[in-house]
Amino acid sequence: MGLDFAGKEWATYIPIATSLGLGIYVVWQAMRPKIGLVNPDIEKDQDKVVNSMDVEDIGDKIAFCRCWRSKKFPLCDGSHVAHNKKTGDNVGPLCLKRKNSA
């Protein structure tokens, strides 16, 4: 005994199919990774992460993290190497160097 979709009987299955489809979509949305999320865990209790530093405190050179994985954030600790290998990304630090004054 199979399902008979003759006449208007098929219409009774539309709400069930719609509910099932919506349920699958909601679960899929909840489980998929957050696309576009750059900062995985640094100062997540803040509305916006802002760091500042006096130029005089920089010294001759400094490297700032741009991958958001550094344990020394906002300074680079080389975490981008593992991030790039894992994701295929190509991010690296922002390096500043003082010119020799001669």
Side-chain angles (χ1 to χ4, degrees):
M1 181 185 278
L3 295 175
D4 181 15
F5 289 105
K8 297 182 180 181
E9 294 175 3
W10 61 269
T12 60
Y13 296 101
I14 290 176
I16 296 169
T18 302
S19 296
L20 182 60
L22 181 60
I24 291 169
Y25 176 76
V26 167
V27 169
W28 174 72
Q29 285 290 327
M31 292 178 63
R32 73 185 191 137
K34 304 289 188 257
I35 297 172
L37 183 66
V38 176
N39 177 2
D41 57 10
I42 296 171
E43 298 180 38
K44 295 305 270 187
D45 59 329
Q46 302 297 316
D47 290 336
K48 178 173 43 173
V49 178
V50 177
N51 301 99
S52 62
M53 185 176 290
D54 290 330
V55 174
E56 295 81 15
D57 295 336
I58 291 177
D60 290 335
K61 62 183 179 177
I62 194 166
F64 291 101
C65 176
R66 294 193 303 174
C67 73
W68 288 83
R69 275 45 180 194
S70 175
K71 300 294 183 223
K72 299 184 338 182
F73 192 88
L75 302 178
C76 176
D77 68 357
S79 294
H80 59 275
V81 175
H83 166 77
N84 289 346
K85 192 172 189 178
K86 180 180 178 183
T87 65
D89 206 349
N90 67 345
V91 70
L94 167 65
C95 298
L96 300 178
K97 180 176 150 183
R98 192 176 303 276
K99 285 186 176 184
N100 293 336
S101 56

